Amino acid sequence: NLEGKVLPGNYVKSSMPGCHVAQCSSSLPPPSWIIGIDEFSREEYGLGANDEVPDISIDPEEGILSIINDSAIHRAYYISLRGDNFRAFDAHDRLLEGGVHRDEKESVIRCLTFIVTVPVMATVDLCRLELPKGGPGDIDLYSDISDLTGTSSSSSSSSSSGSGSKASSITSRERGTQNTPRKQPSTSPLPRQFAFPLEGEGPFLCSQGVEGR
């Protein structure tokens, strides 16, 4: 019975297998499953004062997947890793559950999705990846980033795969970075909207909240 309960991440986890939410804030304890959150430091990533800062980093030695917010705006990161050539583990070395994704050809692909909010000038070490033999470059990774301003947001999208350009950075801390510009977001149709009251017999399960409700 979910009535009256405040759910972690503001969504029903069983309705979204393979989706992992981490609401990180400078004023609240971090979620227990992430590795950690820390203040962003250029020195930690071997970056000079004029070097471009990557949004996403995968350490090729330890497999740590990190998110970097070097801006003055709270941001939301949407990251999907697709395929069967990797595994992901949380801070307690527990396997993170995956889900499935259907591509344009209706093929079923294993998928792991992270939705993470990151405070200003912060780094979130999200999880540890068991990397494929070819290293981070063989992981099929897609990402989207939104600025959380309270009333509006701007977003940009990027993708990377072993055969495409690298839009997120594959780095080793204190070993420098490799960056490419983000791609512009594609135009998507508006989501389907339903009017209340809903037709049919209830009760109905609302699986995802909006603005904290």
Side-chain angles (χ1 to χ4, degrees), residues 88-124:
F89 299 86
D90 69 6
H92 309 285
D93 213 30
R94 297 174 299 199
L95 183 67
L96 290 172
E97 177 189 14
V100 295
H101 162 76
R102 291 184 182 272
D103 62 14
E104 61 277 3
K105 297 180 181 179
E106 295 298 317
S107 300
V108 177
I109 302 172
R110 176 176 171 265
C111 183
L112 190 66
T113 297
F114 300 101
I115 302 174
V116 187
T117 59
V118 183
V120 302
M121 296 299 295
T123 299
V124 173

Side-chain angles (χ1 to χ4, degrees), residues 60-83:
E61 296 179 355
E62 299 181 3
I64 303 300
L65 172 62
S66 301
I67 301 174
I68 305 170
N69 181 9
D70 68 324
S71 75
I73 300 175
H74 202 99
R75 284 179 167 171
Y77 295 74
Y78 310 88
I79 303 171
S80 290
L81 288 73
R82 303 176 187 178

Side-chain angles (χ1 to χ4, degrees), residues 33-162:
W33 66 270
I34 71 169
I35 295 174
I37 180 172
D38 203 354
E39 183 178 352
F40 169 64
S41 168
R42 283 180 171 270
E43 291 75 16
E44 186 176 6
Y45 287 88
L47 296 169
N50 298 320
D51 291 334
E52 184 180 359
V53 178
D55 298 310
I56 300 168
S57 166
I58 300 177
D59 189 306
E61 296 179 355
E62 299 181 3
I64 303 300
L65 172 62
S66 301
I67 301 174
I68 305 170
N69 181 9
D70 68 324
S71 75
I73 300 175
H74 202 99
R75 284 179 167 171
Y77 295 74
Y78 310 88
I79 303 171
S80 290
L81 288 73
R82 303 176 187 178
D84 297 316
N85 61 348
F86 72 92
R87 293 197 300 170
F89 299 86
D90 69 6
H92 309 285
D93 213 30
R94 297 174 299 199
L95 183 67
L96 290 172
E97 177 189 14
V100 295
H101 162 76
R102 291 184 182 272
D103 62 14
E104 61 277 3
K105 297 180 181 179
E106 295 298 317
S107 300
V108 177
I109 302 172
R110 176 176 171 265
C111 183
L112 190 66
T113 297
F114 300 101
I115 302 174
V116 187
T117 59
V118 183
V120 302
M121 296 299 295
T123 299
V124 173
D125 290 336
L126 201 58
C127 64
R128 179 180 65 84
L129 299 178
E130 189 175 90
L131 300 173
K133 292 183 178 180
D138 281 355
I139 292 181
D140 195 11
L141 184 152
Y142 296 79
S143 66
D144 188 81
I145 303 167
S146 296
D147 293 336
L148 303 178
T149 61
T151 55
S152 63
S153 67
S154 60
S155 66
S156 58
S157 301
S158 63
S159 65
S160 66
S161 65

